[in-house]
Amino acid sequence: MAHLSEESLTLLALGEARDPQIEEHLAACPQCAAELVALEHVVHAGRAGQPTPAAPGPHVWAAIHAELGLSDAVAADPLEASRHSGRADVPGTSREDLPGPVLDPADPAAGPPADVGRRDGATVVDLDARRRRPRRGVPLPLAAAAAAAAMVLGGVSVWGAQRLGLEPDPTVLATAALEPLEGYTARGSAEVDERPDGTRQLVVRTDPADVDGFKEVWLLAPDAQRMVSLGVMAGDEATFVLPENLDVGEFPVVDVSNEPIDGDPTHSGDSIVRGVLEA
């Protein structure tokens, strides 16, 4: 049974409509159903709202007091009385409950009353100079959240570019037509591509061929006395990343061999197709 792709499961978890065929598959495939449930949990957690923060404890005012260098006259926590009275939820406190005069924020002409900035006869502290201090940097939780958001957006951008076909195509450096050798009729092609990040890769495609063991891809010197194995070719198309120090001009012959499962890493001498790379 063919499973649903990760992309399909992700889209379903995000709320994409399901057709009857997908519903039937999920009902019959426990693996895909379990993966979908796990992805739905992730989506639900990401969409969940942030919990309402509780009223700050006494240590918060103590830290503010120390940071601003305030006098001992204002060392007491302003919220201490409300905690004892059972009114710890400061955001819900009415304006009438707050001590002192209340300013109308909609009236720009309303100046501060004479006693604003005083508490029990304490002197006014000028905070302007302190506000001009260099900030200490972004708090760690905010920095972590910003970094996580940047990673998510970057991943979405890459995924979107790949899905829409906007990722730059690799540059073709050389190609080869692969011709069949004795005993075979399969043909194929090979090309050396340079990706946008500068890495090179060899892409090999062949017609189906009956083999006794497995297919292996090689780069040979023109005299076929020296060679480099690139790896096993599973199926009729394979891509191999080329080492940076491999000179394709020194090993320009692409060879696909029929290798028996005998534990011998050397070339079997039984080649299916072969061709020379040309720029």
Side-chain angles (χ1 to χ4, degrees):
M1 176 187 298
H3 295 290
L4 297 176
S5 66
E6 292 183 4
E7 179 180 332
S8 298
L9 289 171
T10 302
L11 293 175
L12 291 173
L14 291 172
E16 186 175 84
R18 308 179 186 180
D19 58 39
Q21 185 176 1
I22 290 180
E23 291 285 3
E24 292 178 3
H25 179 83
L26 291 173
C29 180
Q31 179 178 337
C32 289
E35 292 181 5
L36 178 58
V37 170
L39 289 171
E40 287 176 338
H41 287 171
V42 174
V43 171
H44 178 73
R47 290 175 174 172
Q50 294 295 328
T52 303
H59 64 283
V60 176
W61 175 251
I64 295 174
H65 185 276
E67 175 67 19
L68 298 179
L70 303 179
S71 66
D72 294 339
V74 291
D77 185 359
L79 302 180
E80 188 66 24
S82 64
R83 292 194 188 91
H84 288 304
S85 64
R87 196 179 68 246
D89 187 8
V90 177
T93 303
S94 65
R95 298 176 67 181
E96 290 76 9
D97 294 336
L98 298 177
V102 178
L103 299 179
D104 184 1
D107 184 7
D115 58 349
V116 170
R118 298 181 180 177
R119 184 180 178 90
D120 299 331
T123 57
V124 176
V125 177
D126 182 9
L127 300 182
D128 287 341
R130 301 186 185 277
R131 291 193 186 100
R132 290 193 291 270
R133 284 183 179 178
R135 297 189 178 183
R136 294 192 170 189
V138 181
L140 182 58
L142 294 181
M151 292 177 64
V152 170
L153 291 176
V156 170
S157 298
V158 172
W159 174 79
Q162 292 176 340
R163 189 174 184 190
L164 296 175
L166 300 180
E167 185 178 1
D169 293 331
T171 302
V172 179
L173 303 179
T175 60
L178 305 181
E179 300 294 336
L181 274 73
E182 184 177 357
Y184 296 95
T185 59
R187 299 178 182 272
S189 64
E191 66 181 43
V192 177
D193 298 335
E194 183 178 44
R195 298 181 57 81
D197 60 3
T199 58
R200 298 175 303 161
Q201 61 184 17
L202 178 69
V203 182
V204 181
R205 304 177 181 88
T206 66
D207 298 330
D210 293 330
V211 295
D212 300 328
F214 59 91
K215 294 185 291 186
E216 188 169 357
V217 177
W218 308 74
L219 286 180
L220 282 60
D223 59 2
Q225 298 303 306
R226 295 176 299 127
M227 60 195 68
V228 177
S229 173
L230 297 181
V232 175
M233 181 176 182
D236 300 327
E237 180 175 345
T239 301
F240 305 92
V241 176
L242 299 178
E244 293 183 3
N245 59 351
L246 177 61
D247 184 0
V248 177
E250 186 178 355
F251 298 91
V253 181
V254 179
D255 180 276
V256 180
S257 64
N258 179 6
E259 296 292 332
I261 304 176
D262 57 3
D264 186 351
T266 61
H267 197 293
S268 64
D270 183 10
S271 294
I272 303 170
V273 292
R274 186 178 292 179
V276 180
L277 290 167
E278 296 180 351

